[in-house]
Amino acid sequence: MSRRRYFLLDETCPASEVQSMMGRVVKDIRLPLNRFAPVEPLDSATTRHNTQDILPSILPEPSCSSTRKDVLEAVTERGVNFALTSFFGIDLASSATQKAELESMEVKQYSLKQPFQIFQHLMKDPNYGRDVLALLNESWRGKAFMVVGFLTTSGSVWKLDNRRSLTTALTANVPVSMFAGTPSALDPAVSPRQSATNSQSRTMSVAQEEIFAVAYNVVKLRRQFDGKAPRYVKKSAVFGGSRRAKSSEQALGEDSDDEVEGDESSSDDASYDFGTGLSAGMRDLGTEEEGAHFEMTE
């Protein structure tokens, strides 16, 4: 099983995106077409700078598997306790389960080799680098995600299940001990409980090829103090480790024990470097980051 995690998309991408998907930097890992870099030209006057225009051989040959079935499940649980007084309390517990089953005639896996070197090469293109930095500037905490692999399916049957439950419990203790002088452990208690469950299920068939899952590496914005730069800030794009999956996310593949995601440092914001060395969060990414900068002053 691949060590990369392929995240299930909220909306699949058509087969027409296969040629230009690899090497894109996206804002949302589940909706990669919502906002991405490089920006596609809207008129003929603008120079094309999609990833395959910069590096025509960027799309590798896929590996294929047939008659395949995949099952993905993600569970999210939350609990809240309110102790209003020593005699009254409220417990709220909720859970959400998402399950997806995919049966397909054929699945193709595209996996980018040496993504760090590919990122370096792409960032040398001034238009690509400009678009990536613009995306990082507007992204939450200066973080985005480079596409380093994806899965396509054709002749597929999807079964999607969503289940949500909410449980509310009230606890009320009658303070008899305060008046009778008896141990508080003997106070009677009332604990009414109410549960509600909502579930949805749907099945659909798709004949044509589509991208349904994508793997990413993290790209972060690095701000470096520079006394000669305008506003004393020089910005660069930093290439990090693989985007790892949380328990609440639906993803295919297995995380490596020694993988570094690049966005799990104690400071999750875009990093700042006020010296000649890297900040603590950036040092965690290792030597690859030190060469993966594209600088632009503002």
Side-chain angles (χ1 to χ4, degrees):
M1 182 69 70
S2 171
R3 291 185 182 275
R4 284 178 177 164
R5 302 307 302 269
Y6 290 81
F7 293 85
L8 189 67
L9 303 181
D10 285 347
E11 297 178 3
T12 57
C13 303
S16 58
E17 296 294 332
V18 169
Q19 294 297 321
S20 55
M21 179 67 73
M22 195 69 77
R24 278 180 178 171
V25 178
V26 308
K27 192 174 182 179
D28 189 332
I29 64 172
R30 299 178 68 175
L31 293 169
L33 298 186
N34 188 42
R35 176 72 174 92
F36 60 84
V39 178
E40 294 184 342
L42 299 178
D43 55 71
S44 57
T46 305
T47 303
R48 288 181 56 87
H49 52 281
N50 290 324
T51 55
Q52 79 276 18
D53 298 321
I54 304 170
L55 190 61
S57 61
I58 190 171
L59 187 66
E61 288 294 322
S63 59
C64 303
S65 58
S66 58
T67 315
R68 174 168 164 172
K69 181 175 181 179
D70 294 292
V71 179
L72 299 91
E73 186 170 357
V75 179
T76 303
E77 296 182 351
R78 296 183 176 89
V80 180
N81 176 269
F82 299 94
L84 302 181
T85 67
S86 59
F87 310 118
F88 184 73
I90 302 175
D91 289 310
L92 300 176
S94 66
S95 66
T97 302
Q98 294 178 309
K99 184 177 180 181
E101 295 185 15
L102 170 64
E103 294 186 19
S104 53
M105 296 298 295
E106 183 180 51
V107 171
K108 296 180 181 178
Q109 177 178 331
Y110 296 84
S111 183
L112 188 65
K113 296 180 180 179
Q114 297 183 318
F116 168 66
Q117 286 78 8
I118 296 294
F119 179 75
Q120 284 185 307
H121 183 86
L122 293 173
M123 290 298 286
K124 291 177 182 179
D125 182 89
N127 294 318
Y128 180 95
R130 178 201 61 215
D131 290 351
V132 169
L133 283 175
L135 178 64
L136 291 172
N137 270 313
E138 69 180 53
S139 299
W140 172 247
R141 292 180 173 176
K143 185 196 307 179
F145 309 92
M146 177 181 168
V147 176
V148 296
F150 53 85
L151 304 175
T152 69
T153 179
S154 56
S156 57
V157 177
W158 288 91
K159 183 178 180 181
L160 306 175
D161 293 302
N162 289 280
R163 181 183 178 89
R164 296 180 179 274
S165 64
L166 175 65
T167 301
T168 304
L170 305 178
T171 302
N173 294 316
V174 182
V176 174
S177 59
M178 292 183 62
F179 307 102
T182 58
S184 59
L186 300 178
D187 288 346
V190 180
S191 300
R193 180 181 297 268
Q194 181 178 3
S195 298
T197 302
N198 177 271
S199 61
Q200 295 179 336
S201 179
R202 61 191 178 103
T203 302
M204 58 184 180
S205 300
V206 182
Q208 66 271 22
E209 185 180 20
E210 58 183 3
I211 300 172
F212 72 95
V214 181
Y216 302 96
N217 271 59
V218 177
V219 178
K220 296 185 69 175
L221 181 66
R222 181 190 184 203
R223 294 184 177 96
Q224 184 177 15
F225 176 78
D226 188 340
K228 298 181 180 180
R231 301 181 184 178
Y232 306 106
V233 176
K234 183 168 59 178
K235 297 181 180 181
S236 59
V238 180
F239 187 84
S242 299
R243 172 61 163 84
R244 303 179 71 174
K246 303 174 183 177
S247 60
S248 59
E249 295 174 325
Q250 293 176 304
L252 293 163
E254 297 178 350
D255 278 328
S256 169
D257 292 336
D258 57 356
E259 274 186 321
V260 178
E261 179 172 343
D263 63 346
E264 293 182 340
S265 60
S266 58
S267 175
D268 204 19
D269 297 328
S271 63
Y272 291 81
D273 184 2
F274 291 96
T276 56
L278 295 174
S279 64
M282 294 298 99
R283 285 195 298 268
D284 291 341
L285 292 177
T287 58
E288 279 194 346
E289 279 200 330
E290 298 178 27
H293 299 313
F294 179 84
E295 299 181 352
M296 181 179 70
T297 57
E298 292 186 347

